[in-house]
Amino acid sequence: ATVGDMTPYQWFNVVSSLGYVLFTATTSTVTMLVPAIILLRPVSANLYARCTSWIFASWWTSCLFITERLNGVKVRVTGDALPLNAPLLIMSNHKCNLDWMFLWSSAIRTGSMFHVGVFKAVAKSEIRVIPIFGWGCKLNGFAYVRRRWSSDASHLTSWIQSQIRRRLDANWTLIFPEGTRYTDRNKERSDRSCAKDGLEPMAGEILRPRTKGLALLLRESARGGGYYRKIVDMTIQYTDADGKPLKGAALGTRCFGQLAKGKLPVATCHVHFDVFSAKDVPSGEDEDEVEAWVWKRWRKKADTLEQCASAGQFEGVREWSTSGTAVPFKTQTALRCFFVLQGLCCVGAACVSTAFFAYVACAAVGLAVIAQTDPAWW
């Protein structure tokens, strides 16, 4: 039997996945993140950052059951090990909207669940106004940009300077130099841009990298005493059950619906890391030098993706010992039970206590204001 175009089993998957995400994200924001703002943020920005990193690490780890168990996606991680307890600047190609979820999957395979929650992305500002999700990312320190360099430059400068002042031991900054995810239309724009500037277009499903934001982060890091210890080049690709790379058209915005139903067409996510010492990367003072270095890396990235297309995986690289393994079922189940229980307690309290309901309403207004004003120093 079907209901509409979906079977009862698919409806169950949607409720158990999307319902879990919405319910626990909303309630844990009220019961954990807002109290952290009130109790810890005024006392110590560093203590607040560590607390929120643990909260996000726990919740994001619990959500990986959707990609890795419900959808059965295998995560293959290759290349250099990611240094723990050190600030990293990670640049990546942007294949689809699920890319950062698989950075979580890679992070937990370092052996440290805490590091699932330490990454902060440079993301488009439209995300910041999405209730709960955009608000939560802001609370965890995301940097939102409007894709107008006249305003983004000062905002991003203030943001990275605030990160440097805190000197957090574990702080991973993720940036997508391509500026947007891959689509056929974005590929056409990228190729036209290359042709206009007399550059050879990137081969395959990869876009022209834009390097001003990356150069700014590198420059401020160098001026701040070498804040980022390592620079990481991350390459991501998705293959189907036959080992063939999935076209960008198969991983558009509809991938969220496919993910919730347990029908994601991805069989394996391939993540490769090349880690560089900061001294081996341009300092950012010369933007042209940064651009040349990134273009060289992107050409190599295009070759790596082409290799994956022919072989079904990245070849000639070292595979992590934890590659292909599953997130511990007991840990994941315990976390899911915890977040569901705290959610039920939150809803119960809101139903029986007028004061708690008022607190929830005030918290929602406060979070919306924080996300809307988007203070760079948060």
Side-chain angles (χ1 to χ4, degrees):
T2 62
V3 181
D5 295 329
M6 291 170 56
T7 65
Y9 178 68
Q10 288 177 335
W11 276 110
F12 173 78
N13 286 342
V14 170
V15 172
S16 64
S17 58
L18 185 59
Y20 172 83
V21 169
L22 293 174
F23 177 67
T24 59
T26 302
T27 54
S28 61
T29 296
V30 171
T31 61
M32 298 185 215
L33 291 178
V34 173
I37 296 173
I38 297 170
L39 300 176
L40 300 181
R41 193 67 173 77
V43 177
S44 169
N46 282 13
L47 183 59
Y48 166 82
R50 288 194 66 83
C51 178
T52 54
S53 290
W54 268 115
I55 294 170
F56 277 94
S58 301
W59 185 73
W60 281 334
T61 298
S62 78
C63 290
L64 290 180
F65 86 92
I66 301 173
T67 51
E68 298 187 26
R69 296 192 185 278
L70 179 61
N71 286 274
V73 179
K74 178 182 177 182
V75 182
R76 183 173 187 261
V77 189
T78 59
D80 300 323
L82 295 179
L84 302 181
N85 299 316
L88 306 179
L89 177 55
I90 304 172
M91 62 180 191
S92 176
N93 62 308
H94 199 359
K95 183 75 174 182
C96 73
N97 289 322
L98 302 178
D99 292 344
W100 50 6
M101 291 187 71
F102 288 100
L103 178 57
W104 306 342
S105 291
S106 301
I108 199 168
R109 284 168 173 81
T110 63
S112 170
M113 189 179 78
F114 172 68
H115 284 78
V116 177
V118 301
F119 92 88
K120 300 166 175 57
V122 178
K124 59 184 179 182
S125 63
E126 291 88 342
I127 295 175
R128 81 185 196 281
V129 296
I130 299 175
I132 303 303
F133 297 104
W135 302 350
C137 288
K138 180 60 187 177
L139 297 184
N140 201 36
F142 275 40
Y144 290 125
V145 293
R146 292 168 172 76
R147 301 179 187 179
R148 294 193 302 270
W149 190 243
S150 57
S151 59
D152 287 341
S154 59
H155 184 81
L156 196 56
T157 298
S158 298
W159 178 83
I160 182 58
Q161 288 176 348
S162 71
Q163 301 297 312
I164 292 172
R165 283 194 298 271
R166 293 174 194 172
R167 290 289 173 181
L168 295 172
D169 291 334
N171 190 1
W172 296 358
T173 301
L174 173 64
I175 185 170
F176 296 108
E178 294 168 335
T180 186
R181 63 182 174 84
Y182 181 91
T183 65
D184 291 340
R185 179 176 294 181
N186 286 336
K187 177 63 173 176
E188 292 174 3
R189 291 172 178 168
S190 173
D191 289 352
R192 285 199 303 268
S193 174
C194 287
K196 179 181 178 182
D197 293 338
L199 301 169
E200 182 183 352
M202 291 287 172
E205 293 200 343
I206 195 169
L207 306 177
R208 176 182 182 174
R210 303 291 182 172
T211 56
K212 284 187 176 182
L214 181 66
L216 186 152
L217 295 176
L218 289 169
R219 181 170 62 250
E220 293 300 324
S221 172
R223 291 176 179 178
Y227 175 66
Y228 290 119
R229 309 287 179 80
K230 303 288 183 180
I231 313 302
V232 181
D233 184 4
M234 170 178 159
T235 303
I236 190 165
Q237 180 61 292
Y238 303 90
T239 55
D240 61 19
D242 297 323
K244 302 297 183 182
L246 285 159
K247 297 292 185 181
L251 294 170
T253 52
R254 64 176 180 169
C255 67
F256 288 119
Q258 295 169 327
L259 186 72
K261 295 176 189 176
K263 291 293 185 179
L264 196 67
V266 179
T268 305
C269 175
H270 306 264
V271 185
H272 179 77
F273 295 106
D274 289 309
V275 179
F276 300 89
S277 173
K279 69 179 188 312
D280 296 326
V281 175
S283 65
E285 294 294 345
D286 186 338
E287 290 188 5
D288 291 338
E289 189 178 2
V290 174
E291 184 177 32
W293 182 78
V294 173
W295 268 84
K296 182 178 179 181
R297 294 304 310 169
W298 246 245
R299 296 289 186 196
K300 181 173 178 57
K301 195 184 295 289
D303 292 341
T304 301
L305 292 171
E306 185 177 353
Q307 176 197 74
C308 185
S310 59
Q313 63 180 24
F314 299 141
E315 289 196 316
V317 293
R318 185 182 66 85
E319 189 166 359
W320 287 17
S321 61
T322 52
S323 174
T325 60
V327 178
F329 179 76
K330 290 182 179 179
T331 300
Q332 204 167 54
T333 302
L335 289 171
R336 290 178 64 196
C337 289
F338 168 76
F339 280 105
V340 169
L341 287 173
Q342 66 79 32
L344 294 174
C345 291
C346 177
V347 172
C351 290
V352 301
S353 171
T354 304
F356 189 82
F357 185 85
Y359 155 75
V360 172
C362 291
V365 172
L367 293 174
V369 170
I370 292 173
Q372 186 64 41
T373 56
D374 191 20
W377 47 264
W378 190 268

